[in-house]
C-alpha cells in the first residue's frame, strides 16, 4: 500500500518536541524561500527534485542524514557513519529467510466455527490515502460480518508512533471508513496479539514484520499494486519483489495482479473486484460539460505525469478555449505548456463538483488500475486510460476509453470523446452503467475469500 497524500498524518513520538522530520522539512522550506540563488537555492531546488522523482519519504531520509552530518561538520571525527535507510526496517529485511518454511507455514491454522480475529500491519497513512482508505474499507466489511480487527502501525523511522493518536485522527477524518479496530504501534518484541487468526501485510515493507512475527496466524497479503515497479532496479525493487515469495495468500485488487503474481512468482492469489463509493459521486448536471480533468501526481511516477502533460498540450493546441482541471498534487511549481486550473490535493467531498464540469478525464496508470475511472464514470465523466492488461483486465465497462500510451494517441481519444455530439446523453448512460458497481459486492467477496481460506 502507498499514500497518495501530500504527507503522512502526524505520527507523534513519545516526546512533545518537534520530530527530526518536521525540523528538516522546515529548514528546507526556509532555505528555498530565503535564497532563490546561490548554494541554498540550489539545495532547495535539488530537494524539490528529489521529492518529485522519488517521493517525500525518500527526501525525508536523505535530508535527515544530511542534517546529522551538518550538525557535526566542525568536528570531522564526530561525523556519524551513514545509515542504510529504506521503507522497511533494516533488521527486518536482514532476518527474513523466505527460502525455508517458517513455523506458521508448517502447520497452518484452521478456524471453522467462530468469528475471526484479524491483524493488519499498516504504514501510517496520509490524510487522504487511497490505499489506506481501501484497506480500512475492507476492515469495515470484516467487522460488519462479525469478525474482529486490530491495526498495527509500522515504519522505519527512529521515533515511536503514537498509534492511538493516529487512530483518533483517522476516526475524525471523513475520508476514512469508521472502523471499530484499535490502533497499536507494531514492535518486534510484542508482535500481534497471540489470539490472531489471520495476519495481513498491506505493503511490501509490512510483509517483512508479518513474516517474522511469532504468531502462528495464517499469513495474507492485501495487494493493491505491483510495488517493485515503484523503484528503479536495485535493492528495494528486489526486496519488494521477494515478498511475493514469502508464502502468503495474496488477496489482490483485480485480476491483473492475481494472474501476474501467480504466474511469475508462484503465489497463491485470489482477486476481488473494483467498486465506487456512490455516496460521493453522482451525475449532477443539467447541460453538457466541456472541461477536461487530469489526475496529476508528479510525485507518483506510475501515474505518468509527464506523458499526460504532453497529451494535454496536443489537446490545448487544438482546443485552446477548453478548461483543463488538474488535481491530485500541487503542481504550481511546474511550467506547464497550457492554461489550467491547479486544484492541488482535494478532499473526497470536493471532487464531484469538479467532475461534473468535465466531459472527459485523463487517468494514467502504469501499474495496477486506479480507483478513479469508476468514480469518474459515476459523475458522468468519460475516462481515457492507457491501453494495457493492467487496466483492461481489471474492469470491463463499455464507457471506458482506451488509447495507446503515446501523447498523440491519448490526445486524439480525449478530443474524440470531448466532441461527441450526443455527449450529454452518453454521459448520463455512463453514470448509469456503474450504479450497481458499489464496494458492497467486492466487500462480500473479500470476506468470503478470507473465511474460505481459514477453513483450510
Amino acid at each position: 500500500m502507498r499514500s497518495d497524500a501530500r504527507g503522512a498524518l502526524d505520527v507523534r513520538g513519545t516526546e512533545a518536541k518537534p520530530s527530526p522530520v518536521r525540523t528538516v522539512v522546515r529548514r528546507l522550506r526556509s532555505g528555498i524561500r530565503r535564497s532563490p540563488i546561490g548554494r541554498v537555492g540550489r539545495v532547495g531546488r535539488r530537494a524539490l527534485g528529489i521529492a518529485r522523482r522519488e517521493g517525500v519519504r525518500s527526501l525525508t531520509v536523505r535530508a535527515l542524514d544530511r542534517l546529522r552530518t551538518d550538525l557535526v561538520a566542525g568536528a570531522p571525527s564526530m561525523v556519524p557513519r551513514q545509515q542504510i535507510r529504506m521503507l522497511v526496517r533494516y533488521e527486518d529485511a536482514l532476518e527474513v529467510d523466505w527460502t525455508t518454511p517458517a513455523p506458521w507455514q508448517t502447520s497452518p491454522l484452521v478456524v471453522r466455527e467462530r468469528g475471526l480475529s484479524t491483524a493488519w500491519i499498516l504504514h501510517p497513512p496520509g490524510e487522504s490515502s487511497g490505499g489506506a482508505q481501501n484497506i480500512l474499507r475492507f476492515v469495515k466489511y470484516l467487522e460488519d460480518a462479525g469478525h474482529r480487527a486490530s491495526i498495527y502501525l509500522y515504519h522505519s523511522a527512529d521515533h515511536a508512533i503514537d498509534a492511538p493518536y493516529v487512530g483518533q485522527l483517522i476516526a475524525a477524518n471523513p475520508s476514512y471508513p469508521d472502523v471499530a479496530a484499535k490502533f497499536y504501534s507494531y514492535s518486534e518484541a510484542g508482535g500481534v496479539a497471540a489470539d490472531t487468526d489471520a495476519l495481513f501485510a498491506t505493503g511490501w515493507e509490512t510483509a517483512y514484520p508479518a513474516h517474522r512475527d511469532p504468531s502462528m496466524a495464517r499469513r495474507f497479503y492485501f495487494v493493491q499494486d505491483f510495488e517493485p515497479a515503484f523503484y528503479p532496479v536495485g535493492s528495494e525493487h528486489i526486496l519488494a519483489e521477494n515478498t511475493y515469495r514469502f508464502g502468503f495468500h495474496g488477496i489482490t485488487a483485480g485480476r491483473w495482479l492475481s494472474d501476474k503474481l501467480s504466474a511469475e512468482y508462484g503465489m497463491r492469489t485470489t482477486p476481488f473486484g473494483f467498486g465506487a463509493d456512490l455516496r460521493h459521486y453522482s451525475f449532477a448536471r443539467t447541460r453538457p460539460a466541456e472541461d477536461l480533468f487530469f489526475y496529476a501526481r508528479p510525485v507518483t511516477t506510475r501515474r505518468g505525469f509527464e506523458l499526460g502533460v504532453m497529451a494535454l498540450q496536443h489537446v490545448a493546441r487544438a482546443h485552446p478555449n477548453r478548461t483543463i482541471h488538474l488535481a491530485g498534487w500541487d503542481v504550481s511549481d511546474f511550467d506547464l505548456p497550457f492554461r489550467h486550473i491547479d486544484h492541488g490535493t482535494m478532499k473526497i467531498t470536493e471532487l464531484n463538483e469538479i467532475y461534473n464540469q468535465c466531459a472527459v478525464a485523463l487517468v494514467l496508470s502504469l501499474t495496477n488500475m486506479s480507483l478513479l475511472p469508476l468514480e469518474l464514470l459515476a459523475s458522468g465523466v468519460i475516462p481515457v486510460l492507457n491501453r494495457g492488461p493492467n487496466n483492461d483486465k481489471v474492469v470491463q465497462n463499455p464507457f471506458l476509453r482506451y488509447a495507446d500510451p503515446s501523447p498523440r494517441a491519448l490526445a486524439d481519444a480525449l478530443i474524440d470523446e470531448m466532441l461527441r455530439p450526443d455527449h450529454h446523453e452518453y454521459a448520463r448512460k455512463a453514470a448509469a452503467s456503474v450504479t450497481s458497481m458499489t464496494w458492497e459486492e467486492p466487500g462480500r467477496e473479500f470476506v468470503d475469500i478470507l473465511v474460505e481460506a481459514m477453513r483450510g
Side-chain angles (χ1 to χ4, degrees), residues 21 28 33 37 45 49 62 66 69 76 102 167 170 177 197-198 228 233 245 270 275 311 328 339 378 404 407 434 444:
V21 171
L28 284 169
R33 287 196 301 267
I37 58 175
R45 288 192 294 273
R62 291 187 183 211
R66 180 60 181 269
T69 301
I170 289 175
D197 300 315
V233 175
R245 302 182 173 102
T270 314
R339 291 188 304 107
D404 290 330
V434 295
R444 286 190 291 269

Side-chain angles (χ1 to χ4, degrees), residues 58-392:
S58 177
L59 171 62
T60 301
V61 169
R62 291 187 183 211
L64 192 55
D65 288 330
R66 180 60 181 269
L67 177 61
R68 286 170 174 160
T69 301
D70 288 347
L71 289 175
V72 292
S77 62
M78 296 176 61
V79 176
R81 297 285 186 178
Q82 183 173 339
Q83 296 181 7
I84 295 176
R85 290 187 172 275
M86 300 175 290
L87 206 57
V88 64
R89 293 175 189 167
Y90 179 88
E91 294 75 13
D92 289 333
L94 174 71
E95 297 298 338
V96 167
D97 179 14
W98 49 268
T99 64
T100 58
W104 47 264
Q105 290 175 289
T106 57
S107 182
L109 181 66
V110 175
V111 177
R112 292 194 176 96
E113 304 298 332
R114 58 174 173 79
L116 301 174
S117 174
T118 67
W120 300 67
I121 305 181
L122 178 67
H123 194 101
E127 292 182 7
S128 59
S129 164
Q133 288 167 13
N134 224 26
I135 290 166
L136 295 180
R137 177 181 289 124
F138 285 91
V139 167
K140 175 69 171 172
Y141 284 124
L142 275 177
E143 292 176 341
D144 290 346
H147 307 287
R148 292 181 291 124
S150 298
I151 296 171
Y152 293 82
L153 300 180
Y154 170 95
H155 71 161
S156 60
D158 293 335
H159 65 279
I161 303 173
D162 187 343
Y165 175 69
V166 175
Q168 291 172 13
L169 290 178
I170 289 175
N173 189 332
S175 297
Y176 288 105
D178 183 18
V179 297
K182 291 185 177 180
F183 286 72
Y184 304 92
S185 179
Y186 186 85
S187 68
E188 177 188 343
V192 302
D195 65 348
T196 300
D197 300 315
L199 173 54
F200 278 86
T202 58
W204 77 266
E205 75 279 8
T206 67
Y208 283 86
H211 188 287
R212 294 187 69 196
D213 193 274
S215 167
M216 290 301 290
R218 277 186 182 252
R219 271 27 174 206
F220 294 88
Y221 199 159
F222 191 83
V223 187
Q224 299 191 73
D225 213 334
F226 184 68
E227 295 186 312
F230 296 0
Y231 303 92
V233 175
S235 296
E236 286 178 293
H237 178 100
I238 294 299
L239 289 170
E241 192 176 34
N242 282 346
T243 62
Y244 305 136
R245 302 182 173 102
F246 281 7
F248 296 178
H249 183 163
I251 303 181
T252 69
R255 183 161 296 280
W256 175 72
L257 273 173
S258 179
D259 291 350
K260 181 178 181 65
L261 301 185
S262 175
E264 297 181 17
Y265 302 95
M267 188 179 190
R268 181 187 178 190
T269 58
T270 314
F272 61 84
F274 275 39
D277 189 344
L278 300 185
R279 297 173 303 167
H280 300 297
Y281 309 102
S282 62
F283 185 79
R285 68 187 75 148
T286 57
R287 58 185 177 83
E290 296 186 345
D291 298 353
L292 291 83
F293 178 85
F294 175 42
Y295 182 47
R297 282 195 59 81
V299 294
T300 308
T301 56
R302 65 188 180 275
R303 300 305 180 203
F305 174 71
E306 297 82 1
L307 179 61
V309 168
M310 288 184 257
L312 291 173
Q313 184 172 359
H314 284 302
V315 175
R317 283 175 179 172
H319 299 276
N321 294 326
R322 297 279 182 154
T323 300
I324 299 175
H325 298 267
L326 274 59
W329 194 259
D330 179 4
V331 296
S332 58
D333 289 335
F334 287 86
D335 183 16
L336 301 182
F338 47 80
R339 291 188 304 107
H340 63 278
I341 299 175
D342 176 17
H343 297 280
T345 54
M346 299 182 68
K347 297 178 181 177
I348 287 178
T349 52
E350 300 170 337
L351 288 169
N352 196 54
E353 181 180 355
I354 301 298
Y355 288 172
N356 271 275
Q357 299 175 40
C358 299
V360 296
L362 179 60
V363 182
L364 300 177
S365 188
L366 308 180
T367 52
N368 201 29
M369 185 175 179
S370 168
L371 299 180
L372 262 69
L374 291 181
E375 298 169 355
L376 288 159
L377 284 176
S379 299
V381 187
I382 305 304
V384 172
L385 294 77
N386 52 294
R387 180 175 287 114
N390 59 307
N391 283 322
D392 57 40

